[in-house]
Amino acid sequence: MENPPSENIRVEQRFNKFIIAISIVIPVVVAILFGVKLKDFGYNVEPLSFLPPIYAAINGFTAIVLVLAVRAIKNGNRKLHERLMTTAISLSVVFLVMYVAYHMTADSTVFGDTNHNGQLEIEENLKVGMLRYLYLLLLISHIILSIAIIPLVLFTYVRALAENFDRHKRLAKITFPIWLYIAVTGVVVYLMISPYYAN
């Protein structure tokens, strides 16, 4: 027997402050750590250059898991849907840890920087042309939506835990395409920037 709607809302409300706090803390901590280079603190750490293809693959796998999760719920398989969505959240956390770890050990890569000097020179800029603008558009939209998706995912997930499935479904219709876009663009951005990584 399902809880009455008022009880479902109360279950959701218990998590609201926590979700808002997490949604603020995660981007702030990531932004701070992104600016931290371990070598600046005297740690002789080699760049974790093996991580970008791994976390790009995790993004791709996340996209597949999200699509499978939607198919599962449309086929009435709620248990499978729950497992897949929990897997997608777990993959996103693993991605985030790897992403931060890489950027704490490596300098940022400049799109089009073929000589790996950290600057985009005139000849390099002319060579990449409009492709650089496409890359920046994808990257910026990916980053902005990655911040916005945190509360969306958590609120959607809590609504399911509270068995408030009507509200869950309404929010999931917004959350799913944004999350899928983030996962897919994560792969595309990696494929576009990977030729410019320093060996």
Side-chain angles (χ1 to χ4, degrees):
M1 185 175 176
E2 290 191 356
N3 295 327
S6 58
E7 178 61 24
N8 291 353
I9 298 297
R10 281 198 291 271
V11 171
E12 281 185 45
Q13 287 173 343
R14 285 185 211 136
F15 289 94
N16 284 353
K17 288 181 182 177
F18 173 75
I19 290 172
I20 291 166
I22 287 291
S23 300
I24 295 168
V25 168
I26 290 176
V28 169
V29 170
V30 168
I32 291 168
L33 292 177
F34 194 86
V36 171
K37 302 298 179 193
L38 293 179
K39 64 182 180 181
D40 295 340
F41 293 90
Y43 294 103
N44 188 18
V45 180
E46 288 294 316
L48 301 175
S49 55
F50 63 92
L51 285 180
I54 295 173
Y55 62 65
I58 288 173
N59 266 324
F61 192 54
T62 301
I64 293 167
V65 169
L66 289 172
V67 171
L68 291 175
V70 169
R71 285 188 61 191
I73 200 64
K74 285 186 175 179
N75 291 333
N77 194 337
R78 198 166 91 188
K79 276 291 176 196
L80 178 59
H81 175 75
E82 288 172 9
R83 287 193 203 105
L84 288 168
M85 292 311 302
T86 302
T87 301
I89 291 171
S90 301
L91 288 169
S92 295
V93 171
V94 171
F95 162 82
L96 188 59
V97 170
M98 288 185 174
Y99 183 77
V100 170
Y102 171 74
H103 283 283
M104 289 179 71
T105 62
D107 294 324
S108 294
T109 302
V110 177
F111 185 84
D113 181 21
T114 52
N115 64 9
H116 310 296
N117 68 351
Q119 297 177 355
L120 189 65
E121 294 165 0
I122 294 170
E123 298 83 8
E124 292 171 330
N125 196 16
L126 290 171
K127 190 173 180 181
V128 293
M130 294 300 292
L131 195 59
R132 176 172 169 76
Y133 294 105
L134 174 61
Y135 169 77
L136 291 173
L137 176 65
L138 290 173
L139 178 63
I140 291 166
S141 64
H142 174 85
I143 292 169
I144 291 170
L145 291 173
S146 293
I147 296 167
I149 200 67
I150 297 169
L152 287 174
V153 167
L154 294 176
F155 280 122
T156 305
Y157 194 74
V158 165
R159 287 180 180 186
L161 289 178
E163 297 186 358
N164 195 340
F165 297 119
D166 287 340
R167 284 168 57 80
H168 167 77
K169 187 176 179 180
R170 283 198 298 271
L171 189 55
K173 286 181 178 179
I174 298 168
T175 304
F176 168 72
I178 296 173
W179 198 354
L180 185 62
Y181 176 85
I182 293 165
V184 171
T185 54
V187 178
V188 174
V189 164
Y190 165 74
L191 292 174
M192 293 180 78
I193 194 69
S194 59
Y196 305 108
Y197 283 129
N199 295 325

